[in-house]
Amino acid sequence: MSSISIIGTGNMARTIGARAITGGNTVEVMGRDRSKAADLAQALGGGTTTGEWGTAPAGDIVIVALLYDGVVPAIAQYGDALAGKVVVDISNPFNSTFDGLAHREETSIAQEAAKAVPAGASVVKAFNTVFRHVLEKGRPDVFLAGDDARAKASVAAFVESLGMRPLDVGGLKMAHWLEGAGVVTVGLANHGVGNLDFALGITELPV
């Protein structure tokens, strides 16, 4: 099982933390508001601990569960404390109308995060194509993008511990397209599917 630190105390932090505990992983919660982090750790149970914001996370995998515009600033604030860690960006940089990306260039929050992490740290994009309550109750496919094979393997093992299927889409430049897939999920929720009770996945033909 994996050792996980979660930066953030919102709904996705709570959902991933709960699934992680159920999957037998160790979890640490880190929030700017220490009392919120302590409350979340207590709610998660399972030996969940709290860490001091900006200090070295206890987990080998650090999940940044923040809104997209807070991801890179938080990583920059942590700085060398993230050395040697696998940093997972789960964010979706939606524009104000939720029909496009907030950044106009062919980049991604994960790629920008990779510029900010210290030497020896690796960034993986994951979980951004899954709505929170599907992540809470379902067993969706989880797409991963990253340049470090070992980092992706560790995140894949964590995803499997949650009872979900990790699927590697390629290098970190593919994070841009995963963010685009996040936009597609919102379009489907608003139009073709009409609700939030689904996740994108892969259907394989029988051999």
Side-chain angles (χ1 to χ4, degrees):
M1 295 299 107
S2 302
S3 175
I4 306 298
S5 290
I6 302 174
I7 297 176
T9 56
N11 288 332
M12 283 296 284
R14 180 179 296 270
T15 299
I16 292 175
R19 290 296 297 253
I21 291 294
T22 300
N25 304 282
T26 62
V27 176
E28 174 191 52
V29 177
M30 311 180 85
R32 285 189 177 90
D33 186 326
R34 185 65 184 267
S35 64
K36 285 185 178 179
D39 288 346
L40 177 54
Q42 183 176 11
L44 292 175
T48 301
T49 60
T50 56
E52 192 71 34
W53 179 272
T55 64
D60 297 320
I61 297 174
V62 180
I63 298 172
V64 185
L66 301 172
L67 295 177
Y68 79 88
D69 55 357
V71 173
V72 174
I75 287 173
Q77 185 176 353
Y78 272 78
D80 289 341
L82 296 175
K85 305 294 185 179
V86 176
V87 178
V88 181
D89 166 42
I90 69 171
S91 69
N92 273 311
F94 296 140
N95 64 14
S96 60
T97 51
F98 291 85
D99 60 359
L101 298 175
H103 48 70
R104 295 171 181 263
E105 300 177 39
E106 191 174 310
T107 185
S108 64
I109 300 302
Q111 287 167 279
E112 298 306 308
K115 298 175 185 176
V117 296
S122 301
V123 175
V124 175
K125 187 80 176 185
F127 293 106
N128 76 295
T129 60
V130 184
F131 291 118
R132 183 191 61 78
H133 72 287
V134 177
L135 188 64
E136 179 182 16
K137 299 178 180 179
R139 294 180 177 270
D141 290 338
V142 176
F143 302 121
L144 314 175
D147 290 334
D148 186 313
R150 285 189 180 181
K152 280 195 288 190
S154 65
V155 176
F158 171 62
V159 170
E160 288 175 344
S161 79
L162 308 182
M164 304 173 191
R165 180 171 69 157
L167 292 172
D168 185 351
V169 305
L172 196 62
K173 68 179 182 180
M174 292 297 291
H176 172 79
W177 304 107
L178 285 183
E179 291 179 354
V183 177
V184 170
T185 62
V186 174
L188 288 168
N190 290 334
H191 300 285
V193 178
N195 60 64
L196 303 176
D197 300 327
F198 72 95
L200 300 182
I202 300 301
T203 300
E204 298 179 74
L205 292 174
V207 178

